Short mmCIF file of all heavy atoms in Angstrom, two decimals:
data_model
loop_
_atom_site.label_atom_id
_atom_site.label_comp_id
_atom_site.label_asym_id
_atom_site.label_seq_id
_atom_site.Cartn_x
_atom_site.Cartn_y
_atom_site.Cartn_z
N PHE B 157 -44.75 -15.30 4.57
CA PHE B 157 -45.19 -14.07 3.84
C PHE B 157 -46.64 -14.20 3.42
O PHE B 157 -46.95 -15.17 2.73
CB PHE B 157 -44.29 -13.78 2.66
CG PHE B 157 -44.58 -12.40 2.00
CD1 PHE B 157 -43.96 -11.27 2.65
CD2 PHE B 157 -45.25 -12.22 0.94
CE1 PHE B 157 -44.17 -10.02 2.14
CE2 PHE B 157 -45.40 -10.93 0.37
CZ PHE B 157 -44.93 -9.86 0.98
N SER B 158 -47.50 -13.33 3.91
CA SER B 158 -48.92 -13.56 3.81
C SER B 158 -49.68 -12.47 2.93
O SER B 158 -49.00 -11.49 2.52
CB SER B 158 -49.63 -13.48 5.15
OG SER B 158 -49.34 -12.21 5.71
N ASN B 159 -50.95 -12.67 2.70
CA ASN B 159 -51.72 -11.67 1.91
C ASN B 159 -51.69 -10.30 2.63
O ASN B 159 -51.57 -9.23 2.04
CB ASN B 159 -53.19 -12.15 1.82
CG ASN B 159 -53.27 -13.26 0.84
OD1 ASN B 159 -52.43 -13.44 -0.03
ND2 ASN B 159 -54.35 -14.06 0.96
N GLU B 160 -51.73 -10.32 3.98
CA GLU B 160 -51.72 -9.09 4.74
C GLU B 160 -50.32 -8.33 4.53
O GLU B 160 -50.39 -7.08 4.37
CB GLU B 160 -51.88 -9.37 6.21
CG GLU B 160 -51.85 -8.09 7.16
CD GLU B 160 -51.81 -8.46 8.56
OE1 GLU B 160 -51.91 -9.59 8.96
OE2 GLU B 160 -51.69 -7.49 9.40
N MET B 161 -49.34 -9.06 4.50
CA MET B 161 -48.00 -8.42 4.24
C MET B 161 -47.92 -7.80 2.84
O MET B 161 -47.17 -6.88 2.60
CB MET B 161 -46.88 -9.44 4.49
CG MET B 161 -46.81 -9.92 5.92
SD MET B 161 -45.49 -11.19 6.08
CE MET B 161 -45.71 -11.53 7.87
N CYS B 162 -48.67 -8.37 1.93
CA CYS B 162 -48.64 -7.85 0.51
C CYS B 162 -49.22 -6.43 0.42
O CYS B 162 -48.91 -5.71 -0.52
CB CYS B 162 -49.50 -8.77 -0.37
SG CYS B 162 -48.75 -10.32 -0.77
N THR B 163 -49.95 -6.03 1.41
CA THR B 163 -50.55 -4.72 1.43
C THR B 163 -49.36 -3.60 1.41
O THR B 163 -49.57 -2.48 1.08
CB THR B 163 -51.46 -4.46 2.59
OG1 THR B 163 -50.72 -4.59 3.84
CG2 THR B 163 -52.64 -5.42 2.58
N ASN B 164 -48.22 -4.01 1.86
CA ASN B 164 -47.11 -2.99 1.84
C ASN B 164 -46.67 -2.57 0.46
O ASN B 164 -46.08 -1.53 0.33
CB ASN B 164 -45.85 -3.75 2.57
CG ASN B 164 -46.05 -3.83 4.11
OD1 ASN B 164 -46.00 -2.82 4.78
ND2 ASN B 164 -46.23 -5.10 4.53
N PHE B 165 -47.06 -3.39 -0.51
CA PHE B 165 -46.77 -2.95 -1.89
C PHE B 165 -47.45 -1.67 -2.31
O PHE B 165 -47.07 -1.04 -3.25
CB PHE B 165 -47.10 -4.09 -2.88
CG PHE B 165 -46.22 -5.34 -2.73
CD1 PHE B 165 -46.79 -6.61 -2.65
CD2 PHE B 165 -44.84 -5.22 -2.58
CE1 PHE B 165 -45.98 -7.72 -2.56
CE2 PHE B 165 -43.99 -6.28 -2.38
CZ PHE B 165 -44.50 -7.60 -2.44
N LEU B 166 -48.50 -1.31 -1.58
CA LEU B 166 -49.20 -0.09 -1.85
C LEU B 166 -48.26 1.15 -1.65
O LEU B 166 -48.38 2.16 -2.27
CB LEU B 166 -50.35 0.12 -0.92
CG LEU B 166 -51.55 -0.89 -1.15
CD1 LEU B 166 -52.61 -0.72 -0.09
CD2 LEU B 166 -52.18 -0.62 -2.51
N GLN B 167 -47.23 1.00 -0.74
CA GLN B 167 -46.29 2.04 -0.43
C GLN B 167 -44.97 1.94 -1.20
O GLN B 167 -44.21 2.86 -1.34
CB GLN B 167 -46.01 2.12 1.08
CG GLN B 167 -47.28 2.29 1.86
CD GLN B 167 -46.94 2.25 3.38
OE1 GLN B 167 -46.24 3.17 3.92
NE2 GLN B 167 -47.45 1.32 4.06
N MET B 168 -44.67 0.72 -1.64
CA MET B 168 -43.37 0.47 -2.22
C MET B 168 -43.36 0.53 -3.74
O MET B 168 -43.20 -0.42 -4.41
CB MET B 168 -42.87 -0.96 -1.70
CG MET B 168 -42.90 -1.11 -0.19
SD MET B 168 -42.64 -2.77 0.36
CE MET B 168 -40.92 -3.01 0.08
N THR B 169 -43.72 1.66 -4.18
CA THR B 169 -44.08 1.89 -5.54
C THR B 169 -42.85 1.87 -6.54
O THR B 169 -43.09 1.87 -7.73
CB THR B 169 -44.84 3.20 -5.67
OG1 THR B 169 -44.10 4.33 -5.19
CG2 THR B 169 -46.15 3.14 -5.01
N LYS B 170 -41.66 1.91 -6.01
CA LYS B 170 -40.49 2.05 -6.84
C LYS B 170 -39.85 0.70 -7.17
O LYS B 170 -38.80 0.57 -7.91
CB LYS B 170 -39.47 2.95 -6.25
CG LYS B 170 -39.96 4.38 -6.11
CD LYS B 170 -38.77 5.23 -5.54
CE LYS B 170 -39.26 6.79 -5.47
NZ LYS B 170 -38.22 7.62 -4.84
N ILE B 171 -40.43 -0.38 -6.71
CA ILE B 171 -39.85 -1.73 -6.94
C ILE B 171 -39.82 -2.05 -8.43
O ILE B 171 -40.85 -1.98 -9.07
CB ILE B 171 -40.63 -2.78 -6.17
CG1 ILE B 171 -40.32 -2.65 -4.69
CG2 ILE B 171 -40.22 -4.17 -6.65
CD1 ILE B 171 -41.01 -3.66 -3.79
N LYS B 172 -38.64 -2.44 -8.91
CA LYS B 172 -38.45 -2.85 -10.30
C LYS B 172 -38.26 -4.38 -10.41
O LYS B 172 -38.60 -4.96 -11.42
CB LYS B 172 -37.26 -2.10 -10.93
CG LYS B 172 -37.49 -0.66 -11.08
CD LYS B 172 -36.32 0.03 -11.79
CE LYS B 172 -36.49 1.54 -11.92
NZ LYS B 172 -35.39 2.23 -12.51
N ILE B 173 -37.61 -5.00 -9.36
CA ILE B 173 -37.30 -6.43 -9.38
C ILE B 173 -37.92 -6.99 -8.10
O ILE B 173 -37.54 -6.57 -6.98
CB ILE B 173 -35.82 -6.57 -9.48
CG1 ILE B 173 -35.22 -6.04 -10.73
CG2 ILE B 173 -35.53 -8.16 -9.35
CD1 ILE B 173 -33.63 -6.15 -10.73
#
Side-chain angles (χ1 to χ4, degrees):
F157 192 77
S158 64
N159 287 338
E160 179 187 357
M161 295 175 183
C162 286
T163 60
N164 288 290
F165 292 135
L166 291 172
Q167 303 175 62
M168 305 169 74
T169 56
K170 295 184 179 180
I171 289 181
K172 295 182 178 181
I173 300 173

